[in-house]
Amino acid sequence: MRTALTELVGVRHPVVQTGMGWVAGPRLVSATARAGALGILASATMTPERLREAVREVKSRTDEPFGVNLRADAGDARERVRIIIDEGVKVASFALAPSKDLIAELKDAGVVVIPSIGARRHAEKVAAWGADAVVVQGGEGGGHTGDVATTVLLPQVVDAVDIPVIAAGGFHDGRGLVAALAYGAAGIAMGTRFLLTSDSTVPDAVKARYLAAGVKDVTVTTAVDGLPHRMLRTEMVASLERAGRVRALAQAVRRAAGFRRISGLGWSRMARDGLAMRHGRDLSWSQVLLAANAPMLLKASMVDGRTDLGVMASGQVAGVIEDLPGCAELVERVMAEAHAALGTVTRALAPSPEAPPRPSPPPGDGAAVR
Ligand SMILES: Cc1cc2nc3c(=O)[nH]c(=O)nc-3n(C[C@H](O)[C@H](O)[C@H](O)COP(=O)(O)O)c2cc1C
């Protein structure tokens, strides 16, 4: 299947595995790349040194193209961009709209720039600044998310911009890929579906919680970091929601200290990141402080396997996923389902040679076709 996405980044299939903190590491990304889809390394939860190592690890496992996801508002975004350029990474993916200069710097170096956005005006902005494509995430998607469903947001963005649009939020199979293409997208991006593969390093106990979840077990809460965040509904989430402001803040400071150690960021760098995060958004300092919570809570489950203490970011789609295929099997299956779905649509459109001609209704019997 050839689309504007496969042409733009040189992958065999119009399928993207998104950058997920603590989840999208070298193993998942290289397995995705070998399967012919675009894998994206999540770098916001890595130090710059670890990012360079992770990029080299992927390159040692595959020659296929892959990407790196980073936060445009991180104080060290430029350093990370430098690593992407130096190491010859094909795609830069951004969790928030990157600045015009950052886009220009990457494009000048031949890197394909694909920001993720959750609203039409953001897509228009990054398209005007020269982004090569956008990932559009509807509200059913996992992690930080908006409240407009993919079925409404996707056609809205497709109509608004002239660059390729990749649909995200709620996709898990080939029918979804065909639906996205019908809306005018150039492919699909999936997070939760790739988290639930045998190639993802997420501990088995955590994967089991996702597999057991129904669609009603996925919720959106602001209790983790002050921003709407889609995740599995767990006791931990309920307790964060019950905790008063003061207790939540005290916990946030403790966890922020832990994240500071792991990420290698000093307090001053974290404060600068906090300032950047507040910029242009209506966030209080306590919300910024709470934001340092998210990476630690995510790590507790995605790395340490603590289903009791961690947060399990998830799309609603976890409720319909029931297995853990390898990436190669998953991508093959999605493409086979997509071809089958296209066949069904094509047959529905073509007149069947065996079907007897439909009798026309007698005039004036009131059975007018509206
Ligand atoms: C566990 C998890 C962690 C995530 N971390 C990030 C991240 O670090 N950066 C980012 O841009 N998006 C992140 N996301 C969002 C995904 O990249 C993706 O846009 C989303 O999962 C798509 O929706 P889906 O889960 O329905 O496929 C995360 C999602 C999940 C489920």
Side-chain angles (χ1 to χ4, degrees):
M1 200 179 271
R2 278 172 59 180
T3 72
L5 170 64
T6 60
E7 302 285 292
L8 181 66
V9 297
V11 286
R12 276 180 281 136
H13 307 298
V15 173
V16 177
Q17 163 259 301
T18 61
M20 293 172 278
W22 306 114
V23 177
R27 187 165 117 187
L28 184 62
V29 172
S30 50
T32 304
R34 283 199 303 264
L38 181 71
I40 297 183
L41 268 176
S43 92
T45 45
M46 291 174 185
T47 61
E49 296 72 43
R50 174 65 197 132
L51 169 61
R52 195 182 285 276
E53 274 168 28
V55 166
R56 289 184 177 168
E57 214 174 311
V58 178
K59 287 200 294 192
S60 72
R61 294 181 194 197
T62 178
D63 293 329
E64 301 292 336
F66 64 97
V68 167
N69 175 262
L70 64 156
R71 289 181 54 141
D73 61 349
D76 58 3
R78 283 211 174 267
E79 189 181 349
R80 289 167 193 265
V81 161
R82 219 40 270 161
I83 294 173
I84 290 172
I85 294 173
D86 289 351
E87 295 293 331
V89 174
K90 179 79 188 181
V91 173
S93 134
F94 285 93
L96 290 166
S99 68
K100 210 174 168 176
D101 309 351
L102 224 46
I103 295 179
E105 187 178 340
L106 284 157
K107 287 190 62 165
D108 284 350
V111 181
V112 175
V113 180
I114 311 185
S116 289
I117 56 97
R120 185 189 60 184
R121 65 179 195 287
H122 295 152
E124 288 170 339
K125 189 170 80 177
V126 294
W129 286 352
D132 296 290
V134 277
V135 170
V136 171
Q137 180 176 326
E140 52 271 67
H144 289 118
T145 201
D147 52 11
V148 182
T150 303
T151 46
V152 176
L153 183 63
L154 176 60
Q156 197 192 21
V157 174
V158 166
D159 289 344
V161 297
D162 290 331
I163 53 177
V165 174
I166 302 153
F171 294 97
H172 69 109
D173 66 4
R175 290 173 302 179
L177 170 56
V178 171
L181 295 175
Y183 274 118
I188 53 170
M190 304 188 287
T192 307
R193 179 62 275 195
F194 276 100
L195 182 156
L196 291 171
T197 57
S198 55
D199 291 305
S200 113
T201 52
V202 170
D204 289 345
V206 174
K207 287 181 182 169
R209 287 294 291 269
Y210 280 86
L211 292 178
V215 284
K216 294 279 192 190
D217 297 322
V218 184
T219 188
V220 174
T221 183
T222 54
V224 173
D225 60 6
L227 300 170
H229 208 153
R230 192 177 279 290
M231 59 188 62
L232 295 189
R233 190 195 302 279
T234 59
E235 243 322 291
M236 178 64 184
V237 173
S239 101
L240 285 170
E241 285 178 341
R242 276 195 308 268
R245 195 92 183 136
V246 175
R247 226 177 88 209
L249 272 177
Q251 287 173 354
V253 174
R254 232 186 30 243
R255 293 199 193 93
F259 184 60
R260 190 180 66 90
R261 272 197 310 278
I262 290 172
S263 64
L265 301 176
W267 285 113
S268 59
R269 167 55 65 77
M270 283 180 76
R272 273 211 302 283
D273 284 4
L275 265 176
M277 197 172 170
R278 283 183 82 196
H279 182 72
R281 276 185 276 176
D282 202 14
L283 293 182
S284 66
W285 269 110
S286 64
Q287 280 174 310
V288 169
L289 199 50
L290 280 173
N293 247 347
M296 291 312 287
L297 287 171
L298 200 58
K299 177 179 174 287
S301 44
M302 301 304 153
V303 179
D304 307 332
R306 296 294 302 261
T307 51
D308 54 339
L309 281 184
V311 150
M312 288 169 270
S314 173
Q316 266 177 338
V317 76
V320 295
I321 294 176
E322 289 173 348
D323 59 357
L324 298 170
C327 288
E329 185 190 343
L330 172 64
V331 173
E332 241 171 67
R333 188 163 85 192
V334 166
M335 294 315 297
E337 288 164 350
H339 285 288
L342 277 172
T344 307
V345 174
T346 313
R347 277 194 300 282
L349 291 173
S352 155
E354 296 94 49
R358 281 197 202 148
S360 22
D365 75 343
V369 177
R370 268 185 267 271

